[in-house]
Amino acid sequence: MTRTTPPRPADIAAAFPELVPLARTATRLHPRPGSPSPRDSSVGGPLLWPAHEPWPHCDGPHWASDLLPARSPADVRQLRRLEEAARTGLPHTPQEQAEMARIKAGHPTPTGPIAMLALAQLYVHDVPVLRPPGEADLLQVLWCPFDHGEQNMPRTELLWRSATEVTDVLTPTPEPDAVQYGDYLPEPCHVDPEQIVEYPAAAELEEELRRRVTEWSTRQTAGAGPGGLYDGAQELFYHHELSLAPGWKAGGWTPWSVTDFHPQYCTVCRSRMEPMLTVASYEWQPDGPSWIPYEDRAAAASPTVYPTLANPTRISLAGGYNQQLYACPASPEHPHAALLQ
């Protein structure tokens, strides 16, 4: 299904022609639950992985806690089914309540290497903003579903390959015995790529331009009502409505918060890295609905459908943040970088 982002509430490029040279194309992926095949671009779907090639594993360390115990992927999926049934008004039976209690008690934390999870695969013909090396036409992204590093987020691995070279596909896709949080297990989703135009976050603008954009943005929201998205924070109108699309996307600009602008540089050649893939917790927020595609607006008005529609992958990072993956513009084969946003 084609999905179409509505026009922005204001034409920022007409108001500030200086922004036109800074425009970048981004691809909104619009993931929606389904049953993608290894020959499809997807989030959380099976990868086009050669049967003879070893599957990546993470050596850890891996940890969980009594308050947030690890769970098996099968248990996470079962818990989602039970919670979804309750959302539609069906009460849980005593047997289902017992099953939920068992799942919430957790699974033993892995003590050795674990299989990494298939996070996404994107074909260049679907996502032309990607910059593959050589004859490669397929990007595959895997992650370890346990927190790693100072930012406490999943560790990612990226792999480029040529799809035509894969004839014997590994099935089923391997999975770890447990995940740290159910929020780190992606729901299999088809993608419906859409090309849009983005502009830098205000934090990346030259100081004088940023000042003028902020003043203009404040004037645009002068009538914002009490309790609205821009009540007391009118300068965020540009950031949230005009410059950067929320949700899963490739390319474009980084969705920095207002205070944490921190450019990433390649560890090999020191080039300033560019956004490759945004792994998002939400496709949009309830108090900022202008990014909801036309095709989803009726369903998004339903209180039972909305939660799944706004978070189709079921991924949530640190309570609602994004994981931004960066690539080196000089060479896609240089190591990528990742930052929690």
Side-chain angles (χ1 to χ4, degrees):
M1 179 179 180
T2 300
R3 284 180 166 82
T4 311
T5 299
R8 296 300 78 219
D11 188 348
I12 189 66
F16 296 94
E18 311 97 299
L19 289 173
V20 173
L22 302 178
R24 285 183 183 172
T25 299
T27 301
R28 294 192 76 186
L29 297 178
H30 298 304
R32 297 296 183 271
S35 300
S37 80
R39 298 287 175 180
D40 296 322
S41 291
S42 65
V43 170
L47 302 188
L48 188 74
W49 195 272
H52 66 274
E53 187 174 317
W55 186 264
H57 283 65
C58 177
D59 293 331
H62 305 110
W63 63 271
S65 68
D66 292 338
L67 292 176
L68 292 170
R71 295 171 184 167
S72 72
D75 280 350
V76 171
R77 295 185 180 105
Q78 173 68 351
L79 185 61
R80 287 176 181 172
R81 285 191 289 268
L82 293 171
E83 291 174 340
E84 188 66 27
R87 188 179 293 123
T88 59
L90 295 176
H92 291 133
T93 66
Q95 293 80 6
E96 289 173 336
Q97 292 174 354
E99 176 74 347
M100 293 178 70
R102 179 194 67 79
I103 292 172
K104 291 179 178 180
H107 185 283
T109 305
T111 57
I114 65 170
M116 298 189 75
L117 271 172
L119 179 63
Q121 74 168 11
L122 303 174
Y123 286 85
V124 174
H125 62 76
D126 290 326
V127 189
V129 296
L130 296 174
R131 301 176 182 175
E135 299 300 316
D137 61 354
L138 176 61
L139 172 67
Q140 295 177 324
V141 185
L142 303 95
W143 75 2
C144 173
F146 283 80
D147 285 336
H148 290 266
E150 294 180 357
Q151 288 197 300
N152 291 323
M153 61 181 178
R155 182 176 70 83
T156 51
E157 286 193 15
L158 272 59
L159 185 143
W160 289 100
R161 68 170 78 250
S162 173
T164 58
E165 295 179 358
V166 183
T167 54
D168 189 10
V169 181
L170 178 67
T171 56
T173 298
E175 289 187 335
D177 293 334
V179 300
Q180 183 176 13
Y181 308 118
D183 296 336
Y184 287 171
L185 180 70
E187 190 76 12
C189 290
H190 290 285
V191 298
D192 299 296
E194 177 197 18
Q195 309 300 309
I196 62 167
V197 175
E198 289 193 332
Y199 299 98
E204 296 204 50
L205 298 177
E206 178 270 331
E207 184 176 351
E208 173 61 17
L209 178 58
R210 179 180 181 178
R211 180 189 63 77
R212 291 191 290 117
V213 167
T214 297
E215 291 177 352
W216 176 90
S217 182
T218 300
R219 291 195 298 272
Q220 303 307 303
T221 56
L229 180 62
Y230 304 113
D231 179 24
Q234 287 84 356
E235 71 278 2
L236 296 181
F237 179 68
Y238 168 78
H239 183 85
H240 288 302
E241 303 286 0
L242 306 180
S243 58
L244 298 147
W248 282 72
K249 64 184 179 182
W253 287 90
T254 299
W256 303 104
S257 72
V258 176
T259 59
D260 64 355
F261 175 49
H262 185 60
Q264 301 297 293
Y265 293 91
C266 178
T267 57
V268 175
C269 68
R270 301 307 299 168
S271 297
R272 180 167 168 178
M273 304 184 85
E274 297 179 351
M276 169 190 270
L277 180 66
T278 304
V279 178
S281 294
Y282 295 100
E283 292 298 293
W284 58 79
Q285 295 288 354
D287 52 1
S290 74
W291 292 100
I292 301 176
Y294 285 124
E295 296 81 2
D296 290 328
R297 296 209 153 197
S302 166
T304 58
V305 174
Y306 180 86
T308 301
L309 198 61
N311 178 224
T313 66
R314 305 301 293 268
I315 284 176
S316 180
L317 290 150
Y321 286 82
N322 302 320
Q323 187 183 66
Q324 182 64 59
L325 304 185
Y326 295 87
C328 174
S331 173
E333 295 177 313
H334 287 172
H336 74 287
L339 203 61
L340 191 67
Q341 286 293 316

Coordinates of all heavy atoms in Angstrom, one line a residue, residues 161-211:
R161 N 25.5 -6.8 0.6 CA 25.6 -8.0 -0.3 C 24.9 -7.8 -1.6 O 24.0 -6.9 -1.7 CB 25.2 -9.3 0.4 CG 23.7 -9.4 0.7 CD 23.4 -10.9 1.1 NE 23.7 -11.2 2.5 CZ 24.7 -12.0 2.9 NH1 25.5 -12.5 2.0 NH2 24.9 -12.2 4.2
S162 N 25.2 -8.6 -2.6 CA 24.6 -8.6 -3.8 C 23.5 -9.7 -3.8 O 23.8 -10.9 -3.6 CB 25.5 -8.9 -5.0 OG 24.9 -9.1 -6.2
A163 N 22.2 -9.3 -4.0 CA 21.1 -10.3 -3.8 C 21.2 -11.4 -4.8 O 20.8 -12.6 -4.5 CB 19.8 -9.6 -4.0
T164 N 21.7 -11.1 -6.0 CA 21.8 -12.2 -7.1 C 22.7 -13.3 -6.7 O 22.6 -14.4 -7.3 CB 22.1 -11.6 -8.4 OG1 23.4 -10.9 -8.3 CG2 21.1 -10.6 -8.9
E165 N 23.7 -13.0 -5.8 CA 24.6 -14.1 -5.4 C 24.1 -15.1 -4.4 O 24.8 -16.1 -4.1 CB 25.9 -13.4 -4.9 CG 26.6 -12.6 -6.0 CD 27.9 -11.9 -5.4 OE1 28.1 -12.0 -4.2 OE2 28.6 -11.2 -6.1
V166 N 22.9 -14.8 -3.9 CA 22.3 -15.7 -2.9 C 21.3 -16.6 -3.5 O 20.3 -16.1 -4.0 CB 21.7 -14.9 -1.7 CG1 21.2 -15.8 -0.6 CG2 22.7 -13.9 -1.1
T167 N 21.6 -17.8 -3.6 CA 20.7 -18.8 -4.3 C 20.1 -19.7 -3.3 O 18.9 -20.0 -3.4 CB 21.4 -19.6 -5.4 OG1 22.6 -20.2 -4.8 CG2 21.9 -18.6 -6.5
D168 N 20.9 -20.2 -2.3 CA 20.4 -21.1 -1.3 C 20.2 -20.3 0.0 O 21.2 -19.9 0.6 CB 21.4 -22.3 -1.1 CG 20.8 -23.4 -0.2 OD1 19.6 -23.3 0.1 OD2 21.6 -24.3 0.1
V169 N 19.0 -20.0 0.4 CA 18.7 -19.1 1.5 C 18.6 -19.9 2.8 O 17.9 -20.9 2.9 CB 17.4 -18.3 1.3 CG1 17.2 -17.3 2.4 CG2 17.6 -17.6 0.0
L170 N 19.2 -19.4 3.9 CA 19.1 -19.9 5.2 C 17.7 -19.8 5.8 O 17.2 -18.6 5.9 CB 20.1 -19.3 6.2 CG 20.1 -19.7 7.6 CD1 20.6 -21.1 7.7 CD2 21.0 -18.8 8.5
T171 N 17.1 -20.9 6.2 CA 15.8 -20.8 6.8 C 15.7 -21.9 7.9 O 16.3 -22.9 7.8 CB 14.6 -21.1 5.8 OG1 14.8 -22.3 5.2 CG2 14.5 -20.0 4.8
P172 N 15.0 -21.6 9.0 CA 14.5 -20.3 9.4 C 15.6 -19.3 9.8 O 16.7 -19.7 10.1 CB 13.5 -20.6 10.5 CG 14.2 -21.8 11.2 CD 14.8 -22.6 10.1
T173 N 15.2 -18.0 10.0 CA 16.2 -17.1 10.4 C 16.5 -17.4 11.9 O 15.6 -17.5 12.7 CB 15.6 -15.6 10.3 OG1 15.3 -15.3 9.0 CG2 16.6 -14.6 10.9
P174 N 17.8 -17.5 12.3 CA 18.2 -17.8 13.6 C 17.7 -16.7 14.6 O 17.6 -15.5 14.2 CB 19.7 -17.9 13.6 CG 20.0 -18.2 12.2 CD 19.0 -17.5 11.4
E175 N 17.5 -17.1 15.8 CA 17.1 -16.1 16.9 C 17.9 -16.5 18.2 O 18.2 -17.6 18.4 CB 15.6 -16.1 17.2 CG 14.8 -15.5 16.1 CD 13.3 -15.4 16.5 OE1 12.9 -16.2 17.4 OE2 12.6 -14.6 15.9
P176 N 18.1 -15.5 19.1 CA 18.7 -15.8 20.4 C 17.7 -16.5 21.3 O 16.5 -16.5 21.0 CB 19.0 -14.4 20.9 CG 18.0 -13.5 20.3 CD 17.8 -14.1 18.9
D177 N 18.2 -17.1 22.3 CA 17.3 -17.8 23.3 C 16.5 -16.8 24.1 O 15.4 -17.1 24.5 CB 18.2 -18.7 24.2 CG 18.8 -19.9 23.5 OD1 18.3 -20.3 22.5 OD2 19.9 -20.3 24.0
A178 N 17.1 -15.6 24.3 CA 16.4 -14.6 25.1 C 16.7 -13.2 24.6 O 17.7 -13.0 23.9 CB 16.8 -14.8 26.6
V179 N 15.9 -12.3 24.9 CA 16.1 -10.8 24.7 C 16.0 -10.1 26.0 O 15.3 -10.5 26.9 CB 15.1 -10.3 23.6 CG1 15.2 -11.0 22.3 CG2 13.7 -10.4 24.2
Q180 N 16.7 -9.0 26.1 CA 16.7 -8.3 27.4 C 15.3 -7.6 27.6 O 14.8 -7.7 28.8 CB 17.8 -7.2 27.4 CG 17.9 -6.4 28.7 CD 19.0 -5.4 28.7 OE1 19.6 -5.1 27.6 NE2 19.4 -4.9 29.9
Y181 N 14.8 -7.0 26.6 CA 13.5 -6.4 26.7 C 12.6 -6.9 25.5 O 13.2 -7.0 24.4 CB 13.5 -4.9 26.7 CG 14.5 -4.3 27.6 CD1 15.6 -3.5 27.2 CD2 14.3 -4.4 29.0 CE1 16.4 -2.9 28.1 CE2 15.1 -3.8 29.9 CZ 16.2 -3.1 29.5 OH 17.1 -2.5 30.4
G182 N 11.3 -7.1 25.7 CA 10.5 -7.4 24.6 C 10.5 -6.3 23.6 O 10.3 -6.6 22.4
D183 N 10.8 -5.1 24.0 CA 10.8 -3.9 23.1 C 12.0 -4.0 22.1 O 12.1 -3.2 21.2 CB 10.9 -2.6 23.9 CG 9.7 -2.4 24.8 OD1 8.6 -2.9 24.5 OD2 9.9 -1.7 25.8
Y184 N 12.9 -5.0 22.3 CA 14.0 -5.1 21.4 C 13.8 -6.2 20.3 O 14.6 -6.5 19.5 CB 15.3 -5.4 22.1 CG 15.9 -4.3 22.9 CD1 17.0 -4.5 23.8 CD2 15.4 -3.0 22.8 CE1 17.5 -3.4 24.5 CE2 15.9 -1.9 23.5 CZ 17.0 -2.2 24.4 OH 17.6 -1.1 25.1
L185 N 12.6 -6.8 20.3 CA 12.2 -7.8 19.4 C 11.3 -7.2 18.3 O 10.1 -6.9 18.6 CB 11.5 -9.0 20.0 CG 11.1 -10.1 19.1 CD1 12.3 -10.9 18.6 CD2 10.1 -11.1 19.8
P186 N 11.8 -6.9 17.1 CA 10.9 -6.3 16.1 C 9.9 -7.2 15.6 O 10.1 -8.4 15.4 CB 11.9 -5.9 15.0 CG 13.0 -6.9 15.1 CD 13.1 -7.2 16.6
E187 N 8.7 -6.6 15.4 CA 7.6 -7.3 14.7 C 7.9 -7.4 13.2 O 8.3 -6.4 12.6 CB 6.3 -6.6 15.0 CG 5.0 -7.3 14.6 CD 4.7 -8.4 15.5 OE1 5.2 -8.5 16.6 OE2 3.8 -9.2 15.2
P188 N 7.7 -8.5 12.5 CA 8.0 -8.5 11.1 C 7.1 -7.5 10.3 O 5.8 -7.6 10.5 CB 7.6 -10.0 10.7 CG 7.8 -10.8 11.9 CD 7.4 -9.8 13.1
C189 N 7.7 -6.7 9.6 CA 6.9 -5.6 8.9 C 7.4 -5.5 7.4 O 8.6 -5.5 7.1 CB 7.2 -4.3 9.6 SG 6.4 -4.1 11.2
H190 N 6.4 -5.3 6.5 CA 6.6 -4.8 5.2 C 7.0 -3.3 5.3 O 6.7 -2.7 6.3 CB 5.4 -5.0 4.3 CG 5.1 -6.4 4.0 ND1 5.8 -7.1 3.0 CD2 4.1 -7.2 4.4 CE1 5.3 -8.3 2.9 NE2 4.3 -8.4 3.8
V191 N 7.6 -2.8 4.3 CA 7.9 -1.4 4.2 C 7.2 -0.8 3.0 O 7.1 -1.5 2.0 CB 9.4 -1.0 4.3 CG1 10.0 -1.5 5.6 CG2 10.1 -1.6 3.1
D192 N 6.9 0.5 3.0 CA 6.3 1.2 1.9 C 7.1 2.5 1.7 O 6.7 3.5 2.2 CB 4.8 1.5 2.2 CG 4.0 0.2 2.4 OD1 3.9 -0.5 1.4 OD2 3.4 0.0 3.5
P193 N 8.2 2.4 1.1 CA 9.1 3.5 1.0 C 8.5 4.7 0.3 O 7.8 4.6 -0.7 CB 10.3 3.0 0.2 CG 10.3 1.5 0.4 CD 8.8 1.2 0.4
E194 N 8.8 5.9 0.9 CA 8.3 7.2 0.3 C 9.4 8.2 0.4 O 10.0 8.4 1.5 CB 7.1 7.7 1.1 CG 6.6 9.0 0.6 CD 5.7 9.7 1.6 OE1 5.7 9.3 2.8 OE2 4.9 10.6 1.2
Q195 N 9.7 8.9 -0.7 CA 10.8 9.9 -0.7 C 10.2 11.2 -0.2 O 9.2 11.7 -0.7 CB 11.4 10.1 -2.1 CG 11.8 8.8 -2.8 CD 12.9 8.0 -2.0 OE1 13.9 8.6 -1.6 NE2 12.6 6.7 -1.8
I196 N 10.9 11.9 0.7 CA 10.5 13.2 1.2 C 11.7 14.1 1.3 O 12.9 13.6 1.1 CB 9.8 13.1 2.6 CG1 10.8 12.6 3.6 CG2 8.6 12.3 2.6 CD1 10.4 12.8 5.1
V197 N 11.5 15.4 1.5 CA 12.6 16.3 1.7 C 12.7 16.7 3.1 O 11.7 17.0 3.8 CB 12.4 17.5 0.8 CG1 13.5 18.6 1.0 CG2 12.4 17.1 -0.7
E198 N 14.0 16.7 3.7 CA 14.2 17.2 5.0 C 15.2 18.3 5.0 O 16.0 18.5 4.1 CB 14.7 16.0 5.9 CG 13.7 14.9 6.2 CD 14.2 14.0 7.3 OE1 15.5 13.8 7.4 OE2 13.4 13.4 8.0
Y199 N 15.2 19.1 6.2 CA 16.1 20.1 6.4 C 16.8 19.9 7.7 O 16.3 19.2 8.6 CB 15.4 21.5 6.4 CG 14.8 21.8 5.1 CD1 13.4 21.5 4.9 CD2 15.5 22.3 4.0 CE1 12.8 21.8 3.7 CE2 14.9 22.5 2.8 CZ 13.6 22.3 2.6 OH 13.0 22.5 1.4
P200 N 18.0 20.5 8.0 CA 18.7 20.2 9.2 C 17.9 20.6 10.4 O 17.1 21.6 10.4 CB 20.0 21.1 9.1 CG 20.1 21.4 7.7 CD 18.7 21.4 7.1
A201 N 18.1 19.9 11.5 CA 17.6 20.4 12.8 C 18.1 21.8 13.1 O 19.2 22.1 12.7 CB 17.9 19.4 13.9
A202 N 17.4 22.5 13.9 CA 17.9 23.9 14.3 C 19.3 23.9 14.9 O 20.1 24.8 14.6 CB 16.9 24.5 15.2
A203 N 19.6 22.8 15.6 CA 20.9 22.7 16.2 C 22.1 22.7 15.2 O 23.2 23.0 15.6 CB 21.0 21.5 17.1
E204 N 21.8 22.3 14.0 CA 22.8 22.2 13.0 C 22.9 23.5 12.1 O 23.8 23.6 11.2 CB 22.6 21.0 12.1 CG 22.7 19.7 12.9 CD 23.1 18.5 11.9 OE1 24.0 18.6 11.2 OE2 22.4 17.5 12.0
L205 N 22.0 24.4 12.3 CA 22.0 25.6 11.5 C 23.1 26.6 12.0 O 23.4 26.7 13.2 CB 20.6 26.3 11.5 CG 19.5 25.5 10.9 CD1 18.2 26.2 11.1 CD2 19.7 25.1 9.4
E206 N 23.6 27.4 11.0 CA 24.5 28.5 11.4 C 23.7 29.5 12.4 O 22.5 29.6 12.3 CB 24.9 29.3 10.1 CG 25.8 30.5 10.4 CD 24.9 31.8 10.6 OE1 23.8 31.8 10.0 OE2 25.4 32.7 11.3
E207 N 24.4 30.0 13.3 CA 23.8 30.7 14.5 C 22.8 31.8 14.0 O 21.7 31.8 14.6 CB 24.9 31.3 15.3 CG 24.3 32.0 16.6 CD 25.4 32.5 17.5 OE1 26.6 32.2 17.3 OE2 25.0 33.2 18.5
E208 N 23.1 32.7 13.1 CA 22.2 33.7 12.7 C 21.0 33.2 12.0 O 19.8 33.6 12.3 CB 22.9 34.7 11.7 CG 22.0 35.8 11.1 CD 21.4 36.7 12.1 OE1 21.9 36.7 13.3 OE2 20.4 37.4 11.8
L209 N 21.1 32.2 11.2 CA 20.0 31.5 10.5 C 19.1 30.9 11.6 O 17.9 30.9 11.5 CB 20.4 30.6 9.4 CG 19.3 29.8 8.7 CD1 18.3 30.7 8.0 CD2 19.9 28.8 7.7
R210 N 19.7 30.2 12.5 CA 18.9 29.5 13.5 C 18.1 30.5 14.3 O 16.9 30.3 14.6 CB 19.9 28.8 14.5 CG 19.2 28.1 15.6 CD 20.1 27.3 16.5 NE 19.4 26.6 17.6 CZ 20.0 25.9 18.5 NH1 21.3 25.7 18.5 NH2 19.3 25.3 19.4
R211 N 18.7 31.7 14.6 CA 18.0 32.7 15.4 C 16.7 33.2 14.6 O 15.6 33.3 15.1 CB 18.9 33.9 15.7 CG 18.2 35.0 16.5 CD 19.1 36.3 16.5 NE 19.3 36.8 15.2 CZ 18.4 37.6 14.5 NH1 17.2 37.8 15.0 NH2 18.8 38.0 13.3

